[in-house]
């Protein structure tokens, strides 16, 4: 029986010291797109897996969801609304719960979703000055829709936070005018402060938003939810690995994500930022 056990261990490509030694768990490939923001999120989940004793590493590619579908990656973090749009572009769901449910139903066979982070999102948002919010009488997006006829909005051309495909062209019954484009985020935000435009497209987890600007809330879900969620290969992770992915939802919020992105933007390596965050916010507490 001992020889049979040794032979079976060799067949499944585990490393054994003299048979009966310690089995080495294969490293879990966490997929990431080829940008620092995506790498940061992937490293958060890789660190979570390592926290529970599972080796993990980040692999970057142009399309990590394709790698997940093919099995080359076993975990790929994403944002619920963008994943839903990928697999069900005609969905009209906007609230966090609705988007997550429809996303789960639309996932390819063999792909499962873990718990989404109810407190961490990165969806498009409009930034305005305090004076504009006061003039509108509200700090919510509904105020912008009430001023639809006179609304002027700006965005950064090509910016990963402000010129994404998920930036809406319609808010409720308000068809937004074509945004005025600016070469970079600093110029755009300066234009808002100077009154050249009423509001700037940014995102809820964008880093380094000036303190004198505020992001309008979205209490009525005019913009589709974008909550962070781990996707993984169904039946290929053990219970501890799934638990590790799910527990990220309990420690991460939008403010923390924006703060980590600011550190990455300032030049700190994404894996280091993720490791420090989870050291300061240990899972399972």
């Amino acid at each position: 029986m001992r020889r049979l056990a040794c032979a079976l261990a060799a067949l499944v490509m585990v490393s054994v010291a003299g048979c009966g030694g310690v089995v080495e768990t294969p490293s879990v490939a966490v997929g990431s797109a080829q940008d620092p923001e995506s790498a940061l999120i992937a490293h958060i989940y890789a660190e979570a897996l390592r926290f529970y004793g599972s080796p993990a590493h980040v692999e970057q590619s142009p399309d990590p969801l394709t790698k997940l579908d093919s099995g080359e990656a076993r975990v790929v973090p994403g944002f619920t609304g963008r994943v839903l749009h990928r697999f069900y572009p005609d969905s009209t769901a906007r609230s966090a719960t609705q988007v997550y449910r429809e996303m789960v139903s639309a996932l390819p066979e063999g792909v499962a979703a873990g718990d989404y982070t109810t407190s961490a999102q990165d969806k498009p948002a409009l930034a305005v000055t305090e004076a504009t919010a006061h003039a509108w009488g509200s700090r919510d997006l509904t105020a912008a829709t009430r001023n639809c006829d006179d609304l002027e909005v700006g965005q950064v051309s090509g910016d990963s936070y402000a010129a994404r495909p998920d930036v809406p062209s319609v808010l409720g019954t308000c068809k937004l005018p074509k945004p005025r484009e600016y070469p970079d985020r600093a110029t755009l935000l300066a234009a808002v402060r100077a009154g050249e435009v009423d509001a700037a497209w940014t995102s809820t987890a964008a880093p380094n938003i000036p303190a004198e600007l505020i992001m309008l809330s979205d209490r009525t879900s005019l913009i589709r939810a974008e909550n962070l969620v781990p996707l993984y290969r169904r039946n290929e992770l053990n219970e501890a690995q799934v638990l590790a992915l799910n527990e990220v939802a309990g420690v991460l919020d939008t403010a923390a994500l924006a703060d980590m992105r600011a550190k990455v933007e300032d030049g700190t390596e994404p894996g280091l930022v993720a490791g420090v965050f989870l050291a300061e916010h240990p899972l399972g507490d």
Side-chain angles (χ1 to χ4, degrees):
M1 291 296 294
R2 185 176 177 82
R3 289 181 180 177
L4 178 60
C6 289
L8 290 174
L11 286 173
V12 296
M13 299 179 68
V14 296
S15 181
V16 178
C19 187
V22 177
V23 175
E24 293 184 1
T25 304
S27 181
V28 176
V30 181
S32 162
Q34 294 171 311
D35 61 85
E37 297 82 24
S38 180
L40 169 65
I41 294 167
H43 277 289
I44 291 171
Y45 283 98
E47 284 290 338
L49 288 163
R50 288 192 284 266
F51 181 86
Y52 275 94
S54 176
H57 64 283
V58 172
E59 290 187 2
Q60 293 187 307
S61 68
D63 188 356
L65 285 175
T66 297
K67 298 291 186 181
L68 182 68
D69 190 44
S70 67
E72 295 176 72
R74 294 169 67 195
V75 176
V76 170
F79 288 92
T80 53
R82 281 166 247 174
V83 175
L84 173 61
H85 182 74
R86 168 75 172 261
F87 297 112
Y88 183 16
D90 295 329
S91 172
T92 58
R94 293 198 303 269
S95 72
T97 302
Q98 290 175 331
V99 169
Y100 179 74
R101 287 175 178 170
E102 291 201 9
M103 182 206 74
V104 170
S105 297
L107 290 175
E109 184 178 355
V111 176
D115 294 345
Y116 69 91
T117 53
T118 57
S119 298
Q121 61 176 333
D122 184 35
K123 74 177 189 176
L126 285 178
V128 302
T129 63
E130 289 277 1
T132 296
H134 180 75
W136 287 350
S138 174
R139 294 178 170 226
D140 190 73
L141 275 174
T142 52
T145 64
R146 290 195 298 269
N147 291 271
C148 185
D149 292 340
D150 301 317
L151 187 63
E152 290 191 56
V153 180
Q155 74 174 25
V156 176
S157 177
D159 184 79
S160 60
Y161 296 112
R164 300 181 320 207
D166 56 345
V167 171
S169 60
V170 176
L171 292 176
T173 59
C174 174
K175 184 176 181 180
L176 297 171
K178 183 178 179 180
R180 185 182 300 183
E181 295 195 348
Y182 292 86
D184 53 57
R185 187 169 48 185
T187 306
L188 169 62
L189 298 179
V192 177
R193 292 195 296 268
E196 292 180 20
V197 290
D198 300 307
W201 279 118
T202 179
S203 83
T204 52
N208 299 319
I209 298 297
E212 63 267 28
L213 296 182
I214 62 171
M215 290 188 194
L216 297 178
S217 60
D218 185 17
R219 293 192 295 268
T220 56
S221 298
L222 293 175
I223 298 176
R224 185 185 63 204
E226 297 286 0
N227 297 84
L228 187 60
V229 65
L231 308 177
Y232 58 90
R233 297 283 302 173
R234 191 182 300 276
N235 300 323
E236 292 189 16
L237 299 184
N238 60 40
E239 290 184 10
Q241 290 168 334
V242 173
L243 175 65
L245 301 179
N246 287 339
E247 287 203 353
V248 170
V251 298
L252 187 61
D253 59 25
T254 303
L257 182 56
D259 180 67
M260 285 189 284
R261 281 180 166 175
K263 291 180 172 65
V264 171
E265 194 171 85
D266 289 341
T268 308
E269 197 275 321
L272 178 60
V273 174
V276 170
F277 173 78
L278 284 184
E280 295 175 348
H281 303 81
L283 303 179
D285 281 7

